Amino acid sequence: MASRKEGTGSTATSSSSTAGAAGKGKGKGGSGDSAVKQVQIDGLVVLKIIKHYQEEGQGTEVVQGVLLGLVVEDRLEITNCFPFPQHTEDDADFDEVQYQMEMMRSLRHVNIDHLHVGWYQSTYYGSFVTRALLDSQFSYQHAIEESVVLIYGSLSLKAYRLTPKLMEVCKEKDFSPEALKKANITFEYMFEEVPIVIKNSHLINVLMWELEKKSAVADKHELLSLASSNHLGKNLQLLMDRVDEMSQDIVKYNTYMRNTSKQQQQKHQYQQRRQQENMQRQSRGEPPLPEEDLSKLFKPPQPPARMDSLLIAGQINTYCQNIKEFTAQNLGKLFMAQALQEYNN
Amino acid sequence: MSRFFTTGSDSESESSLSGEELVTKPVGGNYGKQPLLLSEDEEDTKRVVRSAKDKRFEELTNLIRTIRNAMKIRDVTKCLEEFELLGKAYGKAKSIVDKEGVPRFYIRILADLEDYLNELWEDKEGKKKMNKNNAKALSTLRQKIRKYNRDFESHITSYKQNPEQSADEDAEKNEEDSEDEDEDEDGVSAATFLKKKSEAPSGESRKFLKKMDDEDEDSEDSEDDEDWDTGSTSSDSDSEEEEGKQTALASRFLKKAPTTDEDKKAAEKKREDKAKKKHDRKSKRLDEEEEDNEGGEWERVRGGVPLVKEKPKMFAKGTEITHAVVIKKLNEILQARGKKGTDRAAQIELLQLLVQIAAENNLGEGVIVKIKFNIIASLYDYNPNLATYMKPEMWGKCLDCINELMDILFANPNIFVGENILEESENLHNADQPLRVRGCILTLVERMDEEFTKIMQNTDPHSQEYVEHLKDEAQVCAIIERVQRYLEEKGTTEEVCRIYLLRILHTYYKFDYKAHQRQLTPPEGSSKSEQDQAENEGEDSAVLMERLCKYIYAKDRTDRIRTCAILCHIYHHALHSRWYQARDLMLMSHLQDNIQHADPPVQILYNRTMVQLGICAFRQGLTKDAHNALLDIQSSGRAKELLGQGLLLRSLQERNQEQEKVERRRQVPFHLHINLELLECVYLVSAMLLEIPYMAAHESDARRRMISKQFHHQLRVGERQPLLGPPESMREHVVAASKAMKMGDWKTCHSFIINEKMNGKVWDLFPEADKVRTMLVRKIQEESLRTYLFTYSSVYDSISMETLSDMFELDLPTVHSIISKMIINEELMASLDQPTQTVVMHRTEPTAQQNLALQLAEKLGSLVENNERVFDHKQGTYGGYFRDQKDGYRKNEGYMRRGGYRQQQSQTAY
């Protein structure tokens, strides 16, 4: 456990193919202005997260935990983690903060990094872009600037953090359409992905190599399986649900818009009437009517919070990415199979 | 009028006395102020004074007596009432009391009452047992008497110091006046009771005696006994005034007594005479009373004195029994009807006796009919409570009585019976004119029917008793039939309608086995045995129903009777598997639209009819109709309640006692019940036959609706079972069968639906069980075939019809027709290849993913549309008129675009 060593650059991508892909993925989300440009994760942390998820996260249940580590130059090194106990409704008096503090104190006693650098969460078919995640990541980032959230689900591990823009919006706590418009924020610029690197000690790397050599070839065929419609179906289903939500949200917004415009019209008419009357009065030599507070007469309708729709859009985007990735791979496989069949014939 | 007073004034005329008393009462006080006035009219004055006092005191003593009685039976409420009256009476008597002093008996009752109350108060156990009213009265009375007694404290304490003595004194007095007492107390002889109760009167009479003495002495030795006189009067008043000094006074009295010993003896003699006279008078008066008010006497007798004694007294011996006398008697008896404390059983006895007498004396049928009507009415009245039902013996009597009445009415066609005949215009004996009797035979019969229902409702349906009661049904029907015949001749159409309905209500639910038998075996004429013929005589119930109902349809003016008749008619049709007639009648009557406005019993009848209709449809193999008919009843899960076959436990808390009683009265008697398990089974099986193929056809449809929620519920319950054993209950059987059918396995399905258990539970209950079973098997085969094709069509490229016909054991044409139907309805994407007799699948059904993609595309379409609307707003915020137009235009365009977009999408999806 304490065998932490400063390894140099030997990134092990073998354990998780997508993680490697993510590492190369887009770092364009404006991460330039943040101090941390890379997340380096210990193999141990990855294994611990996977274990936690497999043991406790079933179906739509979500598991969470705390990441520990250090910031070294422009990279965030995550060297250890510990899980949160599963929440139950019964023990409401369970104090999460105290649990965390005690956990970290105990870990410090055994000489483990005890600095809080973020948290991790599992996900069910990539549905993680939620309000809850946004809120807690915001509070993390607000307290510890460099903290990230690791999302783990179906063999993919990604590190995310909120963009500085979104941080500002969240700080304002104003999610009205105007504010979001002003902030010029869209769903693409809500979360930024931080490239991750998985780092192991040399000894482990050696062991991996050896294991790879020894492992049977048959295991690798799983990648070629064509029966993957289940995954696709699930994704489609979830995507559909989100689209429904989005639809509703738009309808809501639409009603708001209509209400506003209707009121605007009324206001306009009122003003005109007032003006006419005043003109008449003027011609009769009477004093004009006193000015009234229009905003009191016409209370503008409560604008719907747009954050939800942003989040939904973000979520839909993730699903689409997932599906795209997945179908691309499957298509590849299909072409391969076709080629093989033709070759055999 | 006070008895003491009457006894006291011996030789004077009674009438004048009472008048005098009335006149002098108000001025009594004035006279009382000069008691020593020795004028000529002294006697009168004295007597007047006495009478006023006596009257007051007697009032008090009477009250006290009732209080004592109440105390004995621990009726504190009564005590309280009487105590309040006593207080008032005492207030009235105040003037006298002021003069005479507080009467001793009054103090005594106060003291006793207080003691008694304290005792009761201490007795916690007893208090607990006491009912609420009594307990409440107890506390109030206790407080009141405490307050009240404060005014009499000194008297009470002195009384309490020597209660013995006064009691002795009382006893003494009692001995003296025992003759009087006996009369007064009417045979209450317990010494203690007497002692307490009669204390006051005895005191008075003693006083009275003394006065008598005085008078005597006045006349005899007036010159030397001046002081004695005063002494005696003073002692007289003293005795009342100062209870504490009683002893002294008594001794004084005693001292003087010897001197007047002889006089006393004389007085005693006189008194005896008086007593005798009084006794005579009293008895005379009693006799008079008896003669005067016979009616009153009847009432009194009924209060509990054994009847046997009274019977001979019905009419005085030798009275000539005429109509007038009998009618008078009848009216007397009837007057007591409905009064509190009337012994209803005795009343019935009396009436019956009266009938006998009337019959014996040949008073004619009119009178007998009249009395009979009243007997039946009082039989119905016997139970004061609506909820309770007649006792069997009463019921038997009632039936007999109605039968007899009908006998008479049939035998004497010249008797007119009707409820619109007034009492005055009744003609009971004038033989020249037709007899007219007030009373309504129809009402009686309707009431009888109600009573019968009540009896059936209140009998345990699983007991022998119920069977016994049910045997009376034949009798009830017979009576109804007789009345029907009678009314057909004489009654108005309205009455005929009512009796017809009654007849219908007793016919509609019975399965006509004879007619059924006849239908099965077409008439072969000679081969029939005698017995069979005898059995087959009588109208077919179907014909009967037809006749009765048609009459009602044509003649009835009240909606309710017609509605009931229609429902019964439908029920009867349905019961005898005449589905189309039943359905047509139901549809033509439009009852489904307005039944919710009917009263609950009619609604229950409607529900029963619908259920019967559904079951009938099921027997005919019309699963869809069966399902539709039963849906309303079954989907609510309250079939039991809706059919009036039992109350739900769940809602017991919601409704109060009163509602529950009402609902209980609405229950249908057990022999009319529709088997609920059969009902549910029929419903579930028809739901299965509809739902399973539907589910198979719409496996991946997102907007799939449920045909039957209840069926789905059962399926889910079945799925939730952690361990699936062999099915036990009817529901489990259906669920298991559904599962088998889902896989197209009709044989397993069949074996689950039709087996020993299910036969016993359900199928054997049908009149034509075998027919139903064959129908069911065929249905299962057909629907399984459909399900199979829906489920597995994607697996096949083509399938030969012969194979299918083998698999489902259906003949080829049937398979052909089923498949053709499916193809025509676009349920199955396939075509028939005639030469090879195969079904060729088109394989155009989208896969699950494709379906999802299609749905997604649709949703995205609507999303885009919504989005565009938002965009519209942004573009044209102002200028409502133009915007609207533009909006419409754009909408159209949007729609077009959307269509295109969708097409594109679906193309890419494939």
Side-chain angles (χ1 to χ4, degrees):
Chain A
M1 209 182 203
S3 67
R4 179 173 165 262
K5 279 184 188 174
E6 279 293 314
T8 46
S10 72
T11 46
T13 50
S14 58
S15 65
S16 122
S17 58
T18 40
K24 281 170 248 155
K26 40 173 186 171
K28 60 186 174 182
S31 61
D33 39 306
S34 177
V36 175
K37 290 207 170 65
Q38 198 182 41
V39 177
Q40 180 184 310
I41 310 171
D42 232 55
L44 171 79
V45 174
V46 179
L47 289 177
K48 271 176 98 171
I49 291 174
I50 292 172
K51 188 162 176 273
H52 184 201
Y53 172 66
Q54 279 178 347
E55 279 172 359
E56 287 188 49
Q58 285 148 350
T60 49
E61 284 280 308
V62 164
V63 298
Q64 292 176 328
V66 173
L67 299 173
L68 301 173
L70 274 175
V71 182
V72 179
E73 288 164 9
D74 63 345
R75 66 175 189 273
L76 179 69
E77 292 184 3
I78 301 170
T79 54
N80 214 326
C81 67
F82 62 86
F84 279 148
Q86 207 69 311
H87 249 312
T88 45
E89 304 282 316
D90 314 331
D91 43 24
D93 52 332
F94 173 74
D95 192 353
E96 252 180 30
V97 179
Q98 194 177 349
Y99 169 80
Q100 281 184 35
M101 298 314 285
E102 268 175 27
M103 209 50 193
M104 286 195 282
R105 203 175 301 134
S106 309
L107 287 172
R108 190 167 64 181
H109 290 321
V110 286
N111 202 19
I112 291 171
D113 281 337
H114 57 270
L115 290 177
H116 208 158
V117 293
W119 58 300
Y120 69 85
Q121 189 199 308
S122 72
T123 167
Y124 175 71
Y125 284 106
S127 53
F128 62 89
V129 190
T130 59
R131 191 62 190 258
L133 183 114
L134 177 76
D135 287 345
S136 57
Q137 178 59 20
F138 169 70
S139 62
Y140 265 101
Q141 237 167 296
H142 195 64
I144 311 154
E145 203 191 335
E146 53 273 0
S147 54
V148 293
V149 54
L150 276 184
I151 304 290
Y152 171 77
S154 47
L155 282 186
S156 79
L157 191 67
K158 295 189 182 185
Y160 289 98
R161 68 177 171 220
L162 303 183
T163 55
K165 265 188 201 168
L166 191 64
M167 279 300 287
E168 268 166 43
V169 174
C170 285
K171 252 182 238 167
E172 301 282 319
K173 291 225 180 325
D174 180 11
F175 300 122
S176 64
E178 283 77 25
L180 290 182
K181 201 173 159 191
K182 212 174 102 194
N184 196 19
I185 202 156
T186 60
F187 66 90
E188 287 120 326
Y189 301 116
M190 288 171 71
F191 292 92
E192 61 182 345
E193 199 181 328
V194 190
I196 57 172
V197 172
I198 295 176
K199 184 190 159 292
N200 282 317
S201 69
H202 296 306
L203 276 175
I204 292 176
N205 283 338
V206 170
L207 179 69
M208 295 285 271
W209 282 114
E210 219 168 293
L211 283 177
E212 202 175 20
K213 251 191 231 165
K214 276 186 192 166
S215 64
V217 192
D219 290 357
K220 289 183 177 172
H221 284 313
E222 235 173 77
L223 284 174
L224 293 174
S225 162
L226 290 173
S228 51
S229 57
N230 189 28
H231 183 86
L232 190 61
K234 266 273 155 31
N235 256 322
L236 271 173
Q237 197 76 53
L238 289 165
L239 177 58
M240 221 141 60
D241 292 348
R242 286 300 93 71
V243 169
D244 268 348
E245 276 174 32
M246 186 68 149
S247 232
Q248 279 169 19
D249 212 71
I250 286 178
V251 169
K252 229 186 274 170
Y253 186 65
N254 207 357
T255 349
Y256 161 69
M257 295 278 279
R258 208 166 23 219
N259 285 345
T260 344
S261 73
K262 208 185 278 172
Q263 210 178 43
Q264 282 287 338
Q265 223 170 319
Q266 279 174 348
K267 210 163 151 185
H268 198 69
Q269 276 177 359
Y270 179 80
Q271 275 173 330
Q272 269 186 339
R273 223 181 309 135
R274 215 5 126 61
Q275 223 168 5
Q276 267 178 350
E277 213 167 315
N278 271 346
M279 294 250 281
Q280 278 178 352
R281 277 167 161 267
Q282 221 167 16
S283 63
R284 269 179 286 164
E286 288 168 41
L289 289 169
E291 281 294 318
E292 277 174 52
D293 194 6
L294 281 175
S295 61
K296 252 183 204 165
L297 268 174
F298 298 99
K299 269 209 179 116
Q302 190 66 34
R306 298 297 292 155
M307 203 43 169
D308 286 335
S309 74
L310 269 186
L311 283 169
I312 293 168
Q315 183 65 65
I316 289 177
N317 192 32
T318 340
Y319 283 136
C320 288
Q321 297 288 349
N322 272 353
I323 292 170
K324 211 167 85 188
E325 231 167 75
F326 184 79
T327 41
Q329 285 172 15
N330 265 17
L331 276 177
K333 278 188 259 179
L334 284 173
F335 278 124
M336 215 151 73
Q338 195 185 19
L340 272 174
Q341 205 154 22
E342 274 167 14
Y343 176 76
N344 281 347
N345 287 344
Chain B
M1 170 188 288
S2 86
R3 268 177 202 165
F4 290 108
F5 179 64
T6 18
T7 40
S9 63
D10 46 359
S11 49
E12 270 88 14
S13 70
E14 277 176 34
S15 56
S16 70
L17 231 176
S18 58
E20 201 177 10
E21 184 214 287
L22 275 175
V23 175
T24 49
K25 201 167 60 178
V27 285
N30 287 339
Y31 285 114
K33 270 173 190 162
Q34 23 179 294
L36 297 180
L37 204 71
L38 288 169
S39 61
E40 264 195 357
D41 50 12
E42 191 208 358
E43 252 186 54
D44 274 344
T45 16
K46 268 191 181 170
R47 198 173 55 233
V48 169
V49 170
R50 225 182 290 141
S51 73
K53 193 177 95 181
D54 283 354
K55 201 170 139 50
R56 292 288 171 225
F57 280 6
E58 202 225 324
E59 208 178 333
L60 290 180
T61 45
N62 277 340
L63 285 171
I64 287 168
R65 193 181 305 161
T66 30
I67 291 183
R68 296 242 184 236
N69 275 332
M71 274 159 72
K72 272 228 172 100
I73 56 166
R74 294 194 147 214
D75 188 352
V76 188
T77 333
K78 182 87 179 162
C79 269
L80 177 63
E81 266 169 41
E82 295 298 327
F83 176 73
E84 271 162 10
L85 287 178
L86 185 66
K88 268 181 210 160
Y90 183 78
K92 271 189 204 161
K94 192 77 181 158
S95 56
I96 298 163
V97 171
D98 282 345
K99 185 171 57 79
E100 307 269 356
V102 184
R104 188 166 169 71
F105 57 86
Y106 192 70
I107 296 300
R108 175 179 283 237
I109 186 64
L110 290 182
D112 283 357
L113 194 57
E114 195 176 9
D115 287 346
Y116 171 74
L117 287 176
N118 284 335
E119 194 185 306
L120 271 187
W121 191 256
E122 295 305 319
D123 184 12
K124 299 276 188 234
E125 279 298 303
K127 226 164 63 177
K128 259 179 217 161
K129 271 181 221 158
M130 222 180 259
N131 66 32
K132 227 190 219 164
N133 284 340
N134 266 349
K136 210 172 155 192
L138 175 61
S139 52
T140 2
L141 183 54
R142 191 164 156 265
Q143 283 190 343
K144 274 198 177 162
I145 201 152
R146 261 196 198 162
K147 216 171 165 188
Y148 196 80
N149 281 5
R150 241 170 256 155
D151 301 338
F152 299 92
E153 224 162 58
S154 61
H155 297 294
I156 290 171
T157 39
S158 64
Y159 161 71
K160 277 186 181 167
Q161 272 165 9
N162 47 9
E164 285 293 317
Q165 191 194 3
S166 47
D168 286 348
E169 218 176 311
D170 284 339
E172 207 179 302
K173 284 177 209 159
N174 282 333
E175 271 165 47
E176 277 179 15
D177 296 7
S178 54
E179 289 159 291
D180 266 9
E181 288 327 306
D182 280 349
E183 308 249 341
D184 291 332
E185 295 304 326
D186 264 338
V188 186
S189 57
T192 47
F193 186 59
L194 261 182
K195 217 194 284 175
K196 284 183 181 170
K197 218 70 13 153
S198 58
E199 173 222 9
S202 62
E204 270 160 61
S205 42
R206 181 172 152 250
K207 209 164 63 199
F208 173 60
L209 276 178
K210 269 186 241 154
K211 296 272 174 195
M212 297 296 290
D213 290 352
D214 290 356
E215 280 165 41
D216 289 341
E217 275 159 283
D218 273 347
S219 56
E220 277 169 30
D221 27 22
S222 53
E223 78 282 353
D224 69 311
D225 268 332
E226 182 73 49
D227 61 333
W228 151 250
D229 199 358
T230 37
S232 72
T233 32
S234 69
S235 79
D236 200 346
S237 54
D238 282 355
S239 69
E240 245 71 56
E241 222 165 346
E242 298 149 334
E243 303 280 351
K245 292 171 192 161
Q246 191 79 7
T247 10
L249 277 170
S251 60
R252 226 167 96 196
F253 181 68
L254 278 174
K255 248 185 231 163
K256 278 173 185 173
T259 55
T260 54
D261 225 345
E262 286 146 318
D263 308 84
K264 233 191 176 176
K265 264 178 201 162
E268 242 165 282
K269 240 180 226 167
K270 248 188 190 172
R271 204 174 58 223
E272 266 171 30
D273 285 352
K274 255 182 271 160
K276 232 179 244 168
K277 262 188 205 163
K278 195 188 78 179
H279 185 80
D280 286 349
R281 213 185 306 135
K282 232 187 187 173
S283 55
K284 214 191 271 170
R285 204 175 45 196
L286 263 177
D287 289 353
E288 270 169 19
E289 248 172 47
E290 256 165 67
E291 277 157 26
D292 277 348
N293 38 8
E294 253 178 337
E297 194 206 333
W298 277 113
E299 281 183 38
R300 217 173 67 200
V301 161
R302 244 170 264 120
V305 182
L307 251 179
V308 202
K309 276 191 197 164
E310 301 311 322
K311 267 184 189 167
K313 279 190 182 173
M314 176 75 98
F315 291 108
K317 252 185 193 165
T319 318
E320 198 190 343
I321 306 222
T322 60
H323 289 100
V325 174
V326 172
I327 297 292
K328 194 179 158 209
K329 192 93 204 161
L330 177 66
N331 284 335
E332 267 166 30
I333 297 170
L334 290 182
Q335 265 159 19
R337 186 180 159 190
K339 277 185 192 153
K340 231 183 182 179
T342 311
D343 185 352
R344 292 179 291 271
Q347 203 179 4
I348 293 164
E349 295 263 337
L350 282 172
L351 284 169
Q352 269 167 348
L353 211 69
L354 203 59
V355 169
Q356 270 175 25
I357 292 169
E360 277 165 18
N361 290 288
N362 284 327
L363 289 185
E365 305 298 350
V367 177
I368 295 176
V369 167
K370 171 105 180 141
I371 301 172
K372 287 245 178 216
F373 266 125
N374 284 313
I375 292 178
I376 298 165
S378 21
L379 277 170
Y380 291 146
D381 275 350
Y382 186 71
N383 284 318
N385 195 337
L386 255 179
T388 47
Y389 60 103
M390 266 187 176
K391 284 182 204 142
E393 51 277 20
M394 285 288 181
W395 170 243
K397 236 187 250 173
C398 177
L399 285 184
D400 291 344
C401 219
I402 294 177
N403 262 328
E404 282 165 30
L405 185 61
M406 288 314 294
D407 284 339
I408 296 171
L409 288 179
F410 270 112
N412 301 283
N414 61 338
I415 297 180
F416 283 102
V417 175
E419 52 187 338
N420 45 0
I421 297 173
L422 296 173
E423 294 274 353
E424 297 86 58
S425 63
E426 271 185 336
N427 175 18
L428 298 179
H429 47 85
N430 191 345
D432 306 334
Q433 286 165 0
L435 295 172
R436 293 158 69 84
V437 180
R438 181 183 165 84
C440 181
I441 184 77
L442 181 59
T443 327
L444 288 184
V445 174
E446 278 175 344
R447 189 70 203 273
M448 172 196 75
D449 183 55
E450 271 169 40
E451 287 296 335
F452 179 67
T453 316
K454 245 193 269 177
I455 291 175
M456 297 319 277
Q457 278 170 352
N458 284 293
T459 317
D460 173 20
H462 304 292
S463 63
Q464 191 59 35
E465 210 186 337
Y466 194 87
V467 180
E468 290 300 322
H469 285 317
L470 199 51
K471 281 178 189 160
D472 287 340
E473 217 258 339
Q475 229 178 322
V476 172
C477 288
I479 288 175
I480 291 174
E481 223 176 307
R482 288 185 76 180
V483 174
Q484 179 198 335
R485 248 182 296 140
Y486 180 76
L487 286 177
E488 271 169 1
E489 282 173 35
K490 300 207 165 165
T492 61
T493 37
E494 198 187 321
E495 283 172 326
V496 175
C497 280
R498 270 161 72 188
I499 194 70
Y500 273 8
L501 180 67
L502 217 51
R503 182 86 194 274
I504 289 170
L505 285 175
H506 276 275
T507 316
Y508 79 97
Y509 63 90
K510 290 173 189 154
F511 188 77
D512 192 349
Y513 278 97
K514 283 181 220 158
H516 184 60
Q517 217 65 42
R518 236 173 296 157
Q519 255 182 1
L520 288 186
T521 52
E524 286 158 42
S526 57
S527 66
K528 263 189 190 168
S529 68
E530 291 263 321
Q531 202 187 356
D532 271 351
Q533 256 174 354
E535 260 182 18
N536 285 344
E537 266 169 29
E539 226 172 348
D540 252 17
S541 68
V543 180
L544 177 72
M545 286 293 286
E546 188 85 16
R547 188 167 61 81
L548 299 181
C549 288
K550 283 219 165 124
Y551 184 85
I552 289 180
Y553 299 157
K555 298 283 167 77
D556 176 58
R557 276 195 213 88
T558 64
D559 241 6
R560 192 177 184 275
I561 292 181
R562 188 169 43 227
T563 311
C564 286
I566 292 173
L567 288 173
C568 292
H569 202 179
I570 296 170
Y571 189 102
H572 194 259
H573 276 317
L575 193 65
H576 295 84
S577 299
R578 294 188 291 271
W579 157 252
Y580 289 103
Q581 277 120 302
R583 188 200 59 182
D584 292 348
L585 201 53
M586 179 59 97
L587 292 178
M588 280 192 301
S589 64
H590 294 289
L591 277 176
Q592 280 148 311
D593 306 330
N594 48 26
I595 194 68
Q596 63 266 30
H597 305 305
D599 50 357
V602 178
Q603 285 193 14
I604 287 176
L605 183 62
Y606 172 79
N607 289 339
R608 285 165 55 75
T609 307
M610 280 313 279
V611 165
Q612 198 57 251
L613 204 59
I615 293 174
C616 171
F618 181 77
R619 279 194 306 243
Q620 310 290 309
L622 305 161
T623 34
K624 199 160 190 174
D625 291 309
H627 180 266
N628 287 343
L630 298 180
L631 186 64
D632 283 342
I633 305 290
Q634 278 292 317
S635 61
S636 63
R638 297 185 300 150
K640 205 174 169 191
E641 207 181 351
L642 291 176
L643 293 176
Q645 301 191 164
L647 304 173
L648 283 189
L649 285 176
R650 173 173 53 78
S651 49
L652 258 178
Q653 297 119 16
E654 290 161 23
R655 62 171 169 245
N656 52 31
Q657 215 74 30
E658 203 50 41
Q659 272 173 313
E660 197 189 325
K661 260 184 209 157
V662 173
E663 273 175 47
R664 218 169 264 290
R665 231 173 291 145
R666 270 186 218 140
Q667 297 305 302
V668 176
F670 184 72
H671 58 282
L672 305 182
H673 279 199
I674 295 169
N675 189 323
L676 288 177
E677 190 164 30
L678 173 114
L679 167 63
E680 196 181 351
C681 179
V682 164
Y683 174 75
L684 285 179
V685 169
S686 12
M688 175 186 88
L689 290 175
L690 291 174
E691 187 86 72
I692 297 289
Y694 181 82
M695 276 164 74
H698 301 262
E699 190 76 71
S700 52
D701 195 339
R703 270 171 300 176
R704 188 180 68 193
R705 63 196 171 85
M706 271 187 244
I707 293 178
S708 160
K709 262 195 182 151
Q710 237 219 333
F711 178 69
H712 274 275
H713 175 72
Q714 292 303 337
L715 280 187
R716 256 175 278 138
V717 168
E719 274 165 21
R720 244 182 275 144
Q721 223 100 61
L723 199 66
L724 257 186
E728 277 297 324
S729 71
M730 176 272 298
R731 286 177 193 163
E732 284 167 0
H733 270 105
V734 176
V735 169
S738 308
K739 276 185 187 151
M741 196 187 212
K742 236 182 196 166
M743 313 306 290
D745 184 355
W746 78 271
K747 273 184 186 156
T748 324
C749 178
H750 170 219
S751 71
F752 275 131
I753 291 288
I754 296 168
N755 53 31
E756 283 292 302
K757 264 185 205 159
M758 289 293 270
N759 275 346
K761 270 180 191 151
V762 181
W763 306 126
D764 285 346
L765 299 176
F766 284 122
E768 299 164 298
D770 286 322
K771 229 171 161 182
V772 173
R773 276 190 282 258
T774 1
M775 177 280 295
L776 208 54
V777 175
R778 194 178 159 81
K779 276 275 161 196
I780 289 172
Q781 285 168 337
E782 286 175 11
E783 294 304 325
S784 299
L785 169 62
R786 275 161 55 81
T787 315
Y788 184 83
L789 283 176
F790 283 134
T791 317
Y792 298 108
S793 63
S794 58
V795 181
Y796 288 101
D797 263 335
S798 63
I799 184 166
S800 118
M801 282 203 278
E802 229 164 296
T803 326
L804 285 174
S805 139
D806 281 349
M807 271 170 81
F808 293 94
E809 292 182 18
L810 287 164
D811 50 353
L812 216 61
T814 321
V815 174
H816 185 266
S817 83
I818 290 173
I819 291 174
S820 308
K821 231 182 250 170
M822 285 169 78
I823 291 171
I824 287 170
N825 292 337
E826 297 191 331
E827 291 172 325
L828 187 67
M829 296 301 165
S831 51
L832 279 172
D833 190 39
Q834 206 63 43
T836 51
Q837 289 286 311
T838 47
V839 190
V840 183
M841 304 296 170
H842 291 172
R843 315 215 56 172
T844 50
E845 256 122 297
T847 61
Q849 260 75 42
Q850 284 164 340
N851 260 326
L852 278 176
L854 279 174
Q855 281 169 36
L856 178 63
E858 214 166 293
K859 285 195 171 141
L860 286 172
S862 65
L863 178 68
V864 168
E865 201 179 342
N866 282 331
N867 222 356
E868 269 174 27
R869 267 194 217 140
V870 175
F871 193 59
D872 282 346
H873 272 293
K874 283 211 167 136
Q875 284 207 319
T877 326
Y878 289 104
Y881 175 68
F882 284 111
R883 204 192 77 226
D884 277 349
Q885 217 179 29
K886 205 168 96 194
D887 205 30
Y889 171 66
R890 283 194 65 99
K891 225 185 227 164
N892 260 340
E893 197 189 44
Y895 178 71
M896 294 283 284
R897 275 209 345 237
R898 197 182 129 216
Y901 174 68
R902 198 175 175 186
Q903 232 168 18
Q904 243 179 11
Q905 274 279 316
S906 36
Q907 270 166 8
T908 46
Y910 284 123

